[in-house]
Amino acid sequence: MIRRVVFNQKGGVGKTTIVCNLAAIAASRGLRTLVIDLDTQGNTTQYLLGGKPEQADRTIGDFFESSLGFSLQTPPFVTYATNTPFENLDVVASDTRLEDLQVKLEAKQKVQKLRQALDKLKGYDAVFIDTPPALNFYSRSALIAANRCLIPFDCDEFARRALYTLLENVQEIRADHNDELEIEGIVVNQFQGRAKLPARVVQELREEGQPVLEQTLSSSVRVKESHERHLPMIHLEPGHRVTQEYVALYDALEA
């Protein structure tokens, strides 16, 4: 089972959009797919549950809260999943309590709990994990639980400076906690191919030997419409240029 985390410490780089659209493509191909929303903003949850996160009877907050208890038998992780309107696609919904739970979870050293739960998870072919825009307890939990890491990147100098620190942090977690973690690559999001700056930044990163993927994702107002309508692009407009970019990215990752 592939367990993929989409991570960047910088906000606004498209983590949620990438998670939901890749997961929707996997599900549309017949793979039983689970998305885990670790971001307190809950955008992934809203995207996939039709703007009605209250549909989730149990959340990722319930899972982490249960890990603080003393029961020898915790519920299977699958019991925290909620069906989405899309076939083969489930989500473990976000929870606003995550911020308050973080201090207790760190104090009790529960950073391995998500990995332990996913190690026992049955019935899914693929797991996608959306992370908060910070290197905190939850993003570390995700990096420890995953076996693949995809890094969204937007082409500006601030993002580039942050990228080097991010790569170091991921490699440190790999060395200390999860030697199965593989950096699949850096995916350039909202790419403007005709603009000089993005093209130059991408070329320089490749010349440095950074794992920048050939597949890029363009910006489009249609993506914002997909957010508003709570429909991943493969369901909103399968033939759209950006949809096909996501399909190409998914195929490259799975090749």
Side-chain angles (χ1 to χ4, degrees), residues 109-117 137 141 144 176-177:
Q109 300 180 351
K110 299 293 185 178
V111 76
Q112 294 280 351
K113 280 297 180 180
L114 183 60
R115 177 175 182 169
Q116 292 166 1
F137 172 86
S141 293
I144 290 171
D176 293 345
H177 301 288

Side-chain angles (χ1 to χ4, degrees), residues 7-9 132-140 143 165 169-170 173:
F7 173 62
N8 195 314
Q9 296 164 213
L135 185 62
N136 62 11
F137 172 86
Y138 298 110
S139 52
R140 286 190 179 93
L143 289 165
T165 301
N169 289 334
V170 172
I173 287 175

